[in-house]
Amino acid sequence: MKLLLTGSSGWLGRFLAPKLEAMGHQVIGLDVAAGDYTHIVGSVADRSLVDQIFSDHGIQAVIHSGALHKPDIVRYPNSAFVDVNVTGTLNLLEAAVQAGHDRFIFTSTTSLMISETVRAGRAGGAEQAVWLDEEFGPLKPRNIYGLTKLSAEHLCRLYHKLYGINVAVLRTGRFFPEDDDTLEVPSGPNLKANEFLNRRLTVEDAVEAHIAALDGIVGMGFETFILSAPTPFVREDCKQLVEDAPSVIARYFPEAQALYEDKGWVLPDHIDRIYDAGKAEKLLGFRGKTNFARILEALANNRPMPFHHDPSYISPKEAI
């Protein structure tokens, strides 16, 4: 299949493109920055460029992972987020419909589910952790990033309703380098490891989820999926997770405390949100391979962590 992959130079794109090619797909990469898997340097906000790509390359499906992200808020005006995240998505949807596509994969974010109230967690007086699945709402994004990604999701839903194109919206948890990667206490790797309990997945698992959606969404219509490592917790744990997370963790992983102490790491004293990726497993057959148990297994056997940690990472568009 001839695929247009937007964001092909980014963190996800550099892992997703070679995997798609190894499966036999022909990938045309589009990004504002040059990269190993980027064939066309340009913006999804440029409708004439999008139309030309579809015409020149006979695109058969789109994986739209390109976007301005949360760290870009300090670098770009709000109008740029609207241009890229909203208008860019509209341009791709219109081109896909005109080309008769039967599927569209949109990389969204769990960030749009995190209102100021959810983010405040225990500090804001929350009595229990928030269980975040696809039915959670109402959605009240706290910044221009979340607002424009939610607007793009609405466009995806509208184009499915109007034209019948199958759309998979993938709300990804954390899988990319973050500002807190450079912290010392707790360290970046320590924080990442903790997040596999409730809100993180590896980039490799994010890739597998996109592939599962590309293959599986046809015939489903419009579906939204949360992507995160399988959480060990259940809804009944939510109150105690806010009050005393280590005691809950100890019930599931009795060895965790000692392994963390040997590493000089700390477990979270509270957890205020849980991402539930069960729908993706049920409908797409996707289940993240890396979970907290694998973190502990690596610690127990003195092996490298099963996730990427790159505190020196700079987004390719910022290196231009």
Side-chain angles (χ1 to χ4, degrees):
M1 185 180 293
K2 294 181 179 179
L3 302 174
L4 174 60
L5 173 62
T6 70
S8 50
S9 295
W11 185 252
L12 175 63
R14 67 179 63 184
F15 288 88
L16 180 54
K19 184 69 181 240
L20 290 167
E21 290 180 348
M23 296 174 64
H25 295 295
Q26 181 180 342
V27 180
I28 305 301
L30 170 64
D31 202 297
V32 294
D36 291 342
Y37 299 99
T38 294
H39 306 83
I40 301 157
V41 175
S43 174
V44 293
D46 184 343
R47 178 57 192 271
S48 62
L49 175 61
V50 169
D51 288 342
Q52 182 179 348
I53 293 170
F54 272 67
S55 175
D56 291 350
H57 297 278
I59 301 300
Q60 296 172 296
V62 174
I63 300 178
H64 179 28
S65 69
L68 286 182
H69 295 279
K70 185 172 64 175
D72 296 317
I73 291 174
V74 298
R75 298 188 284 261
Y76 294 88
N78 289 346
S79 59
F81 281 82
V82 174
D83 291 343
V84 174
N85 294 355
V86 182
T87 302
T89 303
L90 177 61
N91 289 341
L92 292 165
L93 284 166
E94 289 187 337
V97 166
Q98 289 175 8
H101 289 187
D102 63 355
R103 72 198 77 183
F104 188 93
I105 312 302
F106 177 59
T107 310
S108 190
T109 173
T110 52
S111 180
L112 62 81
M113 305 173 72
I114 311 304
S115 64
E116 290 293 351
T117 300
V118 173
R119 189 184 190 194
R122 187 177 68 171
E127 296 182 356
Q128 62 180 21
V130 179
W131 192 271
L132 294 166
D133 61 13
E134 292 79 4
E135 302 304 315
F136 174 80
L139 300 178
K140 298 179 180 180
R142 69 186 187 277
N143 53 42
I144 191 66
Y145 169 54
L147 188 148
T148 52
K149 294 295 280 188
L150 181 57
S151 297
E153 286 191 9
H154 287 319
L155 283 171
C156 290
R157 181 180 291 104
L158 176 64
Y159 270 65
H160 160 67
K161 180 179 179 180
L162 293 177
Y163 305 106
I165 187 171
N166 298 286
V167 181
V169 171
L170 306 181
R171 291 181 182 166
T172 62
R174 288 184 164 197
F175 66 87
F176 39 81
E178 296 275 356
D179 292 342
D180 56 21
D181 287 351
T182 59
L183 295 179
E184 295 183 2
V185 182
S187 67
N190 186 170
L191 287 171
K192 279 187 171 68
N194 290 352
E195 288 177 347
F196 278 92
L197 286 162
N198 67 313
R199 61 181 298 201
R200 179 172 284 276
L201 72 164
T202 64
V203 66
E204 291 86 356
D205 280 338
V207 164
E208 294 301 324
H210 280 72
I211 291 170
L214 179 68
D215 293 338
I217 193 59
V218 176
M220 285 191 189
F222 176 90
E223 294 289 353
T224 300
F225 301 97
I226 290 174
L227 302 182
S228 186
T231 182
F233 307 126
V234 295
R235 290 176 184 266
E236 290 74 19
D237 295 324
C238 287
K239 188 175 189 299
Q240 194 174 1
L241 282 169
V242 163
E243 297 172 346
D244 182 11
S247 67
V248 183
I249 296 168
R251 289 208 310 269
Y252 292 93
F253 306 102
E255 73 279 25
Q257 184 67 47
L259 289 172
Y260 262 52
E261 288 179 355
D262 287 345
K263 183 74 171 177
W265 283 4
V266 294
L267 291 166
D269 62 359
H270 70 279
I271 292 175
D272 58 15
R273 70 191 76 160
I274 306 294
Y275 294 157
D276 180 356
K279 181 180 176 181
E281 182 172 1
K282 180 179 179 180
L283 296 188
L284 297 177
F286 165 75
R287 181 179 175 86
K289 294 179 180 178
T290 300
N291 56 17
F292 191 67
R294 285 198 61 195
I295 303 296
L296 297 182
E297 181 182 351
L299 288 174
N301 292 282
N302 197 29
R303 294 202 303 262
M305 286 294 100
F307 55 78
H308 293 272
H309 178 68
D310 185 2
S312 64
Y313 175 79
I314 298 175
S315 172
K317 69 180 184 304
E318 303 309 318
I320 298 176

PDB file of all heavy atoms in Angstrom, residues 75-97:
ATOM      1  N   ARG A  75       7.228  28.089  21.804  1.00  0.00           N
ATOM      2  CA  ARG A  75       7.999  28.471  20.618  1.00  0.00           C
ATOM      3  C   ARG A  75       7.145  28.987  19.466  1.00  0.00           C
ATOM      4  O   ARG A  75       7.672  29.639  18.562  1.00  0.00           O
ATOM      5  CB  ARG A  75       8.828  27.273  20.135  1.00  0.00           C
ATOM      6  CG  ARG A  75       9.859  26.783  21.135  1.00  0.00           C
ATOM      7  CD  ARG A  75      10.769  25.727  20.519  1.00  0.00           C
ATOM      8  NE  ARG A  75      10.123  24.432  20.394  1.00  0.00           N
ATOM      9  CZ  ARG A  75      10.283  23.430  21.256  1.00  0.00           C
ATOM     10  NH1 ARG A  75      11.063  23.598  22.308  1.00  0.00           N
ATOM     11  NH2 ARG A  75       9.684  22.272  21.057  1.00  0.00           N
ATOM     12  N   TYR A  76       5.851  28.667  19.470  1.00  0.00           N
ATOM     13  CA  TYR A  76       5.001  29.016  18.343  1.00  0.00           C
ATOM     14  C   TYR A  76       3.736  29.717  18.810  1.00  0.00           C
ATOM     15  O   TYR A  76       3.223  29.427  19.898  1.00  0.00           O
ATOM     16  CB  TYR A  76       4.615  27.748  17.563  1.00  0.00           C
ATOM     17  CG  TYR A  76       5.770  27.074  16.888  1.00  0.00           C
ATOM     18  CD1 TYR A  76       6.530  26.112  17.565  1.00  0.00           C
ATOM     19  CD2 TYR A  76       6.134  27.380  15.579  1.00  0.00           C
ATOM     20  CE1 TYR A  76       7.609  25.488  16.959  1.00  0.00           C
ATOM     21  CE2 TYR A  76       7.201  26.748  14.963  1.00  0.00           C
ATOM     22  CZ  TYR A  76       7.936  25.804  15.657  1.00  0.00           C
ATOM     23  OH  TYR A  76       8.998  25.184  15.061  1.00  0.00           O
ATOM     24  N   PRO A  77       3.189  30.624  17.989  1.00  0.00           N
ATOM     25  CA  PRO A  77       1.938  31.292  18.363  1.00  0.00           C
ATOM     26  C   PRO A  77       0.752  30.340  18.236  1.00  0.00           C
ATOM     27  O   PRO A  77       0.832  29.308  17.563  1.00  0.00           O
ATOM     28  CB  PRO A  77       1.841  32.433  17.336  1.00  0.00           C
ATOM     29  CG  PRO A  77       2.575  31.922  16.138  1.00  0.00           C
ATOM     30  CD  PRO A  77       3.718  31.110  16.700  1.00  0.00           C
ATOM     31  N   ASN A  78      -0.336  30.694  18.867  1.00  0.00           N
ATOM     32  CA  ASN A  78      -1.540  29.866  18.813  1.00  0.00           C
ATOM     33  C   ASN A  78      -2.002  29.621  17.383  1.00  0.00           C
ATOM     34  O   ASN A  78      -2.505  28.541  17.054  1.00  0.00           O
ATOM     35  CB  ASN A  78      -2.661  30.520  19.613  1.00  0.00           C
ATOM     36  CG  ASN A  78      -2.420  30.463  21.111  1.00  0.00           C
ATOM     37  OD1 ASN A  78      -1.565  29.722  21.587  1.00  0.00           O
ATOM     38  ND2 ASN A  78      -3.166  31.256  21.855  1.00  0.00           N
ATOM     39  N   SER A  79      -1.844  30.632  16.529  1.00  0.00           N
ATOM     40  CA  SER A  79      -2.288  30.502  15.139  1.00  0.00           C
ATOM     41  C   SER A  79      -1.552  29.377  14.420  1.00  0.00           C
ATOM     42  O   SER A  79      -2.122  28.719  13.546  1.00  0.00           O
ATOM     43  CB  SER A  79      -2.087  31.820  14.393  1.00  0.00           C
ATOM     44  OG  SER A  79      -0.719  32.214  14.417  1.00  0.00           O
ATOM     45  N   ALA A  80      -0.298  29.130  14.783  1.00  0.00           N
ATOM     46  CA  ALA A  80       0.454  28.044  14.150  1.00  0.00           C
ATOM     47  C   ALA A  80      -0.144  26.689  14.516  1.00  0.00           C
ATOM     48  O   ALA A  80      -0.177  25.769  13.697  1.00  0.00           O
ATOM     49  CB  ALA A  80       1.921  28.116  14.564  1.00  0.00           C
ATOM     50  N   PHE A  81      -0.610  26.553  15.763  1.00  0.00           N
ATOM     51  CA  PHE A  81      -1.254  25.311  16.173  1.00  0.00           C
ATOM     52  C   PHE A  81      -2.538  25.076  15.385  1.00  0.00           C
ATOM     53  O   PHE A  81      -2.837  23.947  14.995  1.00  0.00           O
ATOM     54  CB  PHE A  81      -1.548  25.334  17.676  1.00  0.00           C
ATOM     55  CG  PHE A  81      -0.357  25.037  18.537  1.00  0.00           C
ATOM     56  CD1 PHE A  81       0.567  26.021  18.843  1.00  0.00           C
ATOM     57  CD2 PHE A  81      -0.155  23.763  19.041  1.00  0.00           C
ATOM     58  CE1 PHE A  81       1.677  25.750  19.635  1.00  0.00           C
ATOM     59  CE2 PHE A  81       0.951  23.476  19.838  1.00  0.00           C
ATOM     60  CZ  PHE A  81       1.869  24.470  20.133  1.00  0.00           C
ATOM     61  N   VAL A  82      -3.296  26.143  15.149  1.00  0.00           N
ATOM     62  CA  VAL A  82      -4.517  26.010  14.355  1.00  0.00           C
ATOM     63  C   VAL A  82      -4.167  25.634  12.918  1.00  0.00           C
ATOM     64  O   VAL A  82      -4.785  24.744  12.318  1.00  0.00           O
ATOM     65  CB  VAL A  82      -5.329  27.316  14.394  1.00  0.00           C
ATOM     66  CG1 VAL A  82      -6.535  27.226  13.454  1.00  0.00           C
ATOM     67  CG2 VAL A  82      -5.799  27.619  15.815  1.00  0.00           C
ATOM     68  N   ASP A  83      -3.162  26.282  12.367  1.00  0.00           N
ATOM     69  CA  ASP A  83      -2.763  26.002  10.975  1.00  0.00           C
ATOM     70  C   ASP A  83      -2.343  24.548  10.797  1.00  0.00           C
ATOM     71  O   ASP A  83      -2.782  23.872   9.860  1.00  0.00           O
ATOM     72  CB  ASP A  83      -1.610  26.912  10.569  1.00  0.00           C
ATOM     73  CG  ASP A  83      -2.017  28.373  10.440  1.00  0.00           C
ATOM     74  OD1 ASP A  83      -3.236  28.629  10.344  1.00  0.00           O
ATOM     75  OD2 ASP A  83      -1.128  29.239  10.450  1.00  0.00           O
ATOM     76  N   VAL A  84      -1.486  24.061  11.680  1.00  0.00           N
ATOM     77  CA  VAL A  84      -0.922  22.718  11.523  1.00  0.00           C
ATOM     78  C   VAL A  84      -1.890  21.643  12.010  1.00  0.00           C
ATOM     79  O   VAL A  84      -2.204  20.696  11.288  1.00  0.00           O
ATOM     80  CB  VAL A  84       0.426  22.612  12.259  1.00  0.00           C
ATOM     81  CG1 VAL A  84       0.944  21.175  12.216  1.00  0.00           C
ATOM     82  CG2 VAL A  84       1.441  23.565  11.638  1.00  0.00           C
ATOM     83  N   ASN A  85      -2.356  21.789  13.245  1.00  0.00           N
ATOM     84  CA  ASN A  85      -3.126  20.711  13.860  1.00  0.00           C
ATOM     85  C   ASN A  85      -4.572  20.628  13.371  1.00  0.00           C
ATOM     86  O   ASN A  85      -5.144  19.537  13.340  1.00  0.00           O
ATOM     87  CB  ASN A  85      -3.111  20.855  15.383  1.00  0.00           C
ATOM     88  CG  ASN A  85      -1.728  20.662  15.978  1.00  0.00           C
ATOM     89  OD1 ASN A  85      -0.775  20.324  15.272  1.00  0.00           O
ATOM     90  ND2 ASN A  85      -1.600  20.887  17.263  1.00  0.00           N
ATOM     91  N   VAL A  86      -5.152  21.755  13.018  1.00  0.00           N
ATOM     92  CA  VAL A  86      -6.549  21.754  12.584  1.00  0.00           C
ATOM     93  C   VAL A  86      -6.648  21.827  11.062  1.00  0.00           C
ATOM     94  O   VAL A  86      -7.152  20.904  10.416  1.00  0.00           O
ATOM     95  CB  VAL A  86      -7.340  22.913  13.234  1.00  0.00           C
ATOM     96  CG1 VAL A  86      -8.808  22.852  12.793  1.00  0.00           C
ATOM     97  CG2 VAL A  86      -7.250  22.837  14.755  1.00  0.00           C
ATOM     98  N   THR A  87      -6.142  22.913  10.481  1.00  0.00           N
ATOM     99  CA  THR A  87      -6.229  23.050   9.025  1.00  0.00           C
ATOM    100  C   THR A  87      -5.463  21.941   8.318  1.00  0.00           C
ATOM    101  O   THR A  87      -5.917  21.407   7.298  1.00  0.00           O
ATOM    102  CB  THR A  87      -5.686  24.424   8.583  1.00  0.00           C
ATOM    103  OG1 THR A  87      -6.435  25.453   9.244  1.00  0.00           O
ATOM    104  CG2 THR A  87      -5.808  24.604   7.080  1.00  0.00           C
ATOM    105  N   GLY A  88      -4.318  21.561   8.850  1.00  0.00           N
ATOM    106  CA  GLY A  88      -3.542  20.481   8.244  1.00  0.00           C
ATOM    107  C   GLY A  88      -4.309  19.169   8.232  1.00  0.00           C
ATOM    108  O   GLY A  88      -4.301  18.433   7.233  1.00  0.00           O
ATOM    109  N   THR A  89      -4.994  18.868   9.328  1.00  0.00           N
ATOM    110  CA  THR A  89      -5.810  17.651   9.382  1.00  0.00           C
ATOM    111  C   THR A  89      -6.963  17.733   8.394  1.00  0.00           C
ATOM    112  O   THR A  89      -7.275  16.751   7.696  1.00  0.00           O
ATOM    113  CB  THR A  89      -6.344  17.431  10.810  1.00  0.00           C
ATOM    114  OG1 THR A  89      -5.238  17.369  11.722  1.00  0.00           O
ATOM    115  CG2 THR A  89      -7.143  16.143  10.905  1.00  0.00           C
ATOM    116  N   LEU A  90      -7.597  18.894   8.306  1.00  0.00           N
ATOM    117  CA  LEU A  90      -8.686  19.089   7.344  1.00  0.00           C
ATOM    118  C   LEU A  90      -8.192  18.873   5.916  1.00  0.00           C
ATOM    119  O   LEU A  90      -8.863  18.200   5.109  1.00  0.00           O
ATOM    120  CB  LEU A  90      -9.268  20.487   7.500  1.00  0.00           C
ATOM    121  CG  LEU A  90     -10.376  20.877   6.515  1.00  0.00           C
ATOM    122  CD1 LEU A  90     -11.575  19.959   6.651  1.00  0.00           C
ATOM    123  CD2 LEU A  90     -10.778  22.340   6.730  1.00  0.00           C
ATOM    124  N   ASN A  91      -7.033  19.410   5.588  1.00  0.00           N
ATOM    125  CA  ASN A  91      -6.476  19.242   4.244  1.00  0.00           C
ATOM    126  C   ASN A  91      -6.294  17.765   3.900  1.00  0.00           C
ATOM    127  O   ASN A  91      -6.615  17.313   2.793  1.00  0.00           O
ATOM    128  CB  ASN A  91      -5.126  19.958   4.136  1.00  0.00           C
ATOM    129  CG  ASN A  91      -5.252  21.462   4.130  1.00  0.00           C
ATOM    130  OD1 ASN A  91      -6.327  22.005   3.855  1.00  0.00           O
ATOM    131  ND2 ASN A  91      -4.160  22.142   4.432  1.00  0.00           N
ATOM    132  N   LEU A  92      -5.778  17.003   4.848  1.00  0.00           N
ATOM    133  CA  LEU A  92      -5.530  15.579   4.610  1.00  0.00           C
ATOM    134  C   LEU A  92      -6.831  14.794   4.497  1.00  0.00           C
ATOM    135  O   LEU A  92      -6.967  13.906   3.654  1.00  0.00           O
ATOM    136  CB  LEU A  92      -4.664  15.012   5.729  1.00  0.00           C
ATOM    137  CG  LEU A  92      -3.217  15.524   5.762  1.00  0.00           C
ATOM    138  CD1 LEU A  92      -2.574  15.191   7.105  1.00  0.00           C
ATOM    139  CD2 LEU A  92      -2.398  14.934   4.625  1.00  0.00           C
ATOM    140  N   LEU A  93      -7.797  15.113   5.350  1.00  0.00           N
ATOM    141  CA  LEU A  93      -9.094  14.439   5.280  1.00  0.00           C
ATOM    142  C   LEU A  93      -9.780  14.690   3.941  1.00  0.00           C
ATOM    143  O   LEU A  93     -10.321  13.769   3.315  1.00  0.00           O
ATOM    144  CB  LEU A  93      -9.996  14.906   6.424  1.00  0.00           C
ATOM    145  CG  LEU A  93      -9.680  14.338   7.811  1.00  0.00           C
ATOM    146  CD1 LEU A  93     -10.403  15.136   8.882  1.00  0.00           C
ATOM    147  CD2 LEU A  93     -10.068  12.864   7.897  1.00  0.00           C
ATOM    148  N   GLU A  94      -9.762  15.939   3.500  1.00  0.00           N
ATOM    149  CA  GLU A  94     -10.400  16.262   2.224  1.00  0.00           C
ATOM    150  C   GLU A  94      -9.712  15.540   1.071  1.00  0.00           C
ATOM    151  O   GLU A  94     -10.376  14.998   0.177  1.00  0.00           O
ATOM    152  CB  GLU A  94     -10.395  17.774   2.004  1.00  0.00           C
ATOM    153  CG  GLU A  94     -11.353  18.521   2.929  1.00  0.00           C
ATOM    154  CD  GLU A  94     -11.458  19.990   2.582  1.00  0.00           C
ATOM    155  OE1 GLU A  94     -10.522  20.535   1.952  1.00  0.00           O
ATOM    156  OE2 GLU A  94     -12.471  20.599   2.960  1.00  0.00           O
ATOM    157  N   ALA A  95      -8.394  15.511   1.100  1.00  0.00           N
ATOM    158  CA  ALA A  95      -7.657  14.829   0.036  1.00  0.00           C
ATOM    159  C   ALA A  95      -7.922  13.327   0.075  1.00  0.00           C
ATOM    160  O   ALA A  95      -8.068  12.686  -0.974  1.00  0.00           O
ATOM    161  CB  ALA A  95      -6.159  15.110   0.167  1.00  0.00           C
ATOM    162  N   ALA A  96      -7.996  12.763   1.283  1.00  0.00           N
ATOM    163  CA  ALA A  96      -8.244  11.329   1.421  1.00  0.00           C
ATOM    164  C   ALA A  96      -9.630  10.958   0.905  1.00  0.00           C
ATOM    165  O   ALA A  96      -9.810   9.944   0.221  1.00  0.00           O
ATOM    166  CB  ALA A  96      -8.095  10.912   2.882  1.00  0.00           C
ATOM    167  N   VAL A  97     -10.620  11.771   1.230  1.00  0.00           N
ATOM    168  CA  VAL A  97     -11.985  11.512   0.763  1.00  0.00           C
ATOM    169  C   VAL A  97     -12.061  11.618  -0.757  1.00  0.00           C
ATOM    170  O   VAL A  97     -12.663  10.777  -1.434  1.00  0.00           O
ATOM    171  CB  VAL A  97     -12.976  12.473   1.447  1.00  0.00           C
ATOM    172  CG1 VAL A  97     -14.324  12.459   0.731  1.00  0.00           C
ATOM    173  CG2 VAL A  97     -13.154  12.100   2.922  1.00  0.00           C
TER     174      VAL A  97
END
